[in-house]
Amino acid sequence: MEKMKMITPLVEMDGDEMTRILWKIIKDELLLPFIDLKTEYYDLGLEHRNETNDKVTFDSAEATKRYGVAVKCATITPNAARVEEYGLKEMWKSPNGTIRAILDGTVFRAPIVVKGIEPCVRNWKKPITIARHAYGDVYKASEMKIPGPGTCELVYTASDGTENRELIHEFTGAGVIQGQHNLCGSIESFARSCFSFALDTRQDLWFATKDTISKKYDHTFKDIFQEIYEQEYDARFREAGIEYFYTLIDDAVARVMKAEGGFIWACKNYDGDVMSDMISSAFGSLAMMTSVLVSPQGYYEYEAAHGTVQRHYYKHLKGEETSTNSVATIFAWTGALRKRGELDQTPELCAFADKLEQACTATIESGSMTKDLALITTIPNPTVLNSEAFIKAIRSRLEELL
Ligand code: NAP
Ligand code: MG
């Protein structure tokens, strides 16, 4: 069989631990035999980040701006234990945080839905994608403990020295306060990423905040979304036959539970943090969640939502067998290849991505799966495969499909 040609390379960001092991097997078994794979390789493994003083992470993000599409393996975000384990020069920042800041992007997380792994919510038939605004609010707040009676105010001092004050509370006893902020520029980027991704995936977009209570803060989010929608996206949404609608967060929660899925739910930072964990556990497994970072300029970085699966890696190092689920990492590759195919107008590449995804779902639906899925499947007597055997089973399916 002749190998599929690629025009523009993908930015390939390698990573750590068990997912780094899977990364190599996926390339060897599912990609290199079928595609004339072109990538610009960046090793974001922790050792190499440390050797380059984390320059490699910055370089990989810059490369994503040049090429437009990246695929990333899970990486370790160092903590004190990791600094010791790897003898790090510094506690390097989260690569995802660095890349997100450079691309100014929004993260969209969606479950991979297969028969036999049923969501807890019976009426969910299609994936629900969560878009989380990843800047500000409670994550960049200043807080104070108030020891006793006194006055707390918000004070804004403009560059010309004029002051604007707003009373927070006249304390008569002890309490706590918090100051949050966000930036219109960041909210605008968030809105544009959401609208473009909705068009891209032809799904409705829902956005919800608590604007009835937060009449300036949350209302600003609502207004910015509405303005950008009307000015830049309304016509395109109509043409695509999709809808944007805003509602109160409480109403959104109630509707989500009754919906059948197949839409994007845009959330403020905290709501997105909480709701994405709820959605992923309700859909069955963290190992079946995909994640894509979309910048307002239309750069894409695809990855699995889970981490490096450290516990399995330590078993692997001891020579023990592992049964680690590679599906979300494979879908990171298919997402990136399909996007590359769309941009380069190489439909064969998009078709290959579709078939590789079908091979994954067909393998699971036929009853062959990794241990995490075997524990929750409704398929009777599933066959539990080890990490490598599962990927090889997907390869056999793929060969049948091609
Ligand atoms: P994790 O890698 O997501 O794994 C947590 C647990 O979830 C695993 O121990 C495993 O449960 C289960 N699991 C996750 N993915 C799985 C898969 N593909 N197949 C089977 N089971 C899976 O999270 P972590 O262990 O808390 O974090 C490990 C490292 O990942 C950390 O250093 C963290 O910084 C990093 N991390 C990176 C990213 C990223 O790059 N995007 C995201 C999150 C975390 P059992 O052990 O019970 O089998
Ligand atoms: Mg969380």
Side-chain angles (χ1 to χ4, degrees):
M1 198 186 77
E2 212 186 315
K3 286 197 194 179
M4 204 105 35
K5 292 272 173 292
M6 274 182 78
I7 299 175
T8 315
L10 288 174
V11 177
E12 175 184 355
M13 305 171 176
D14 207 346
D16 289 299
E17 299 194 311
M18 199 60 209
T19 40
R20 188 180 180 99
I21 307 283
L22 298 177
W23 195 259
K24 174 149 197 326
I25 309 175
I26 291 169
K27 283 177 68 180
D28 288 346
E29 293 288 335
L30 301 176
L31 303 174
L32 294 169
F34 308 103
I35 310 176
D36 195 10
L37 189 68
K38 282 204 177 91
T39 71
E40 189 162 298
Y41 180 84
Y42 292 85
D43 183 2
L44 266 56
L46 187 50
E47 277 128 355
H48 193 240
R49 273 183 275 151
N50 192 52
E51 277 162 26
T52 62
N53 296 327
D54 208 24
K55 185 171 176 293
V56 65
T57 307
F58 289 82
D59 290 348
S60 70
E62 290 301 333
T64 306
K65 287 188 182 172
R66 283 198 304 279
Y67 291 108
V69 188
V71 56
K72 180 179 170 292
C73 179
T75 46
I76 293 169
T77 297
N79 54 17
R82 298 297 202 166
V83 171
E84 195 170 322
E85 182 183 355
Y86 285 82
L88 301 181
K89 299 184 222 170
E90 258 181 54
M91 199 185 290
W92 305 111
K93 287 199 179 137
S94 149
N96 288 57
T98 302
I99 296 166
R100 197 163 59 214
I102 294 174
L103 299 182
D104 186 22
T106 296
V107 174
F108 296 82
R109 271 179 155 209
I112 300 155
V113 175
V114 295
K115 287 194 204 82
I117 311 295
E118 305 303 331
C120 303
V121 180
R122 262 177 291 131
N123 43 284
W124 289 356
K125 303 282 180 238
K126 297 181 207 158
I128 295 171
T129 303
I130 296 275
R132 173 179 171 189
H133 183 214
Y135 178 84
D137 303 346
V138 72
Y139 301 85
K140 280 215 188 288
S142 300
E143 303 185 320
M144 238 192 249
K145 283 192 175 187
I146 304 300
T151 306
C152 289
E153 289 178 301
L154 289 175
V155 182
Y156 164 65
T157 314
S159 41
D160 68 2
T162 51
E163 272 186 11
N164 220 327
R165 287 168 179 267
E166 182 75 35
L167 178 70
I168 297 174
H169 194 64
E170 295 276 5
F171 283 88
T172 53
V176 283
I177 61 163
Q178 184 183 64
Q180 293 189 18
H181 82 277
N182 220 301
L183 306 171
C184 292
S186 173
I187 302 168
E188 286 161 14
S189 294
F190 174 46
R192 288 199 176 91
S193 296
C194 289
F195 290 128
S196 328
F197 193 69
L199 279 173
D200 222 43
T201 58
R202 286 190 172 251
Q203 296 185 89
D204 289 347
L205 176 68
W206 301 16
F207 181 44
T209 71
K210 194 72 183 173
D211 66 291
T212 47
I213 299 297
S214 174
K215 291 194 167 63
K216 295 209 174 87
Y217 198 104
D218 278 17
H219 216 290
T220 298
F221 281 77
K222 177 182 175 178
D223 292 343
I224 287 176
F225 265 70
Q226 192 59 35
E227 206 178 297
I228 292 180
Y229 177 71
E230 281 167 16
Q231 286 175 5
E232 301 170 28
Y233 292 94
D234 191 18
R236 284 147 80 189
F237 266 53
R238 281 168 204 273
E239 202 183 316
I242 57 172
E243 194 190 1
Y244 164 63
F245 89 95
Y246 175 89
T247 185
L248 258 188
I249 185 90
D250 345 18
D251 179 50
V253 169
R255 283 175 188 246
V256 164
M257 294 315 267
K258 300 226 153 120
E260 67 160 33
F263 55 88
I264 299 164
W265 181 9
C267 293
K268 284 178 62 200
N269 209 349
Y270 173 83
D271 300 336
D273 185 352
V274 178
M275 293 307 166
S276 67
D277 283 350
M278 185 198 69
I279 297 279
S280 70
S281 47
F283 266 104
S285 170
L286 181 60
M288 296 289 279
M289 286 293 279
T290 61
S291 174
V292 53
L293 175 74
V294 181
S295 84
Q297 294 79 19
Y299 311 129
Y300 295 76
E301 180 248 303
Y302 293 84
E303 64 180 304
H306 60 76
T308 60
V309 213
Q310 181 183 19
R311 216 177 59 81
H312 295 209
Y313 180 60
Y314 287 162
K315 277 176 76 177
H316 169 83
L317 287 183
K318 279 194 266 168
E320 291 172 32
E321 192 170 79
T322 58
S323 180
T324 315
N325 189 339
S326 45
V327 171
T329 306
I330 298 171
F331 272 62
W333 277 101
T334 53
L337 289 168
R338 185 184 296 107
K339 178 52 71 182
R340 196 63 269 166
E342 279 167 28
L343 296 174
D344 289 350
Q345 298 183 345
T346 46
E348 319 83 66
L349 203 57
C350 302
F352 173 80
D354 292 345
K355 289 200 173 125
L356 179 48
E357 291 183 358
Q358 280 166 31
C360 293
T361 43
T363 303
I364 298 168
E365 288 171 1
S366 77
S368 297
M369 57 192 81
T370 44
K371 192 175 150 201
D372 56 305
L373 297 182
L375 291 170
I376 57 170
T377 187
T378 52
I379 297 172
N381 311 313
T383 309
V384 179
L385 299 177
N386 69 34
S387 307
E388 193 165 0
F390 179 62
I391 294 173
K392 289 196 163 144
I394 295 171
R395 178 173 178 169
S396 322
R397 290 263 163 192
L398 178 62
E399 281 170 345
E400 283 166 23
L401 288 170
L402 284 173

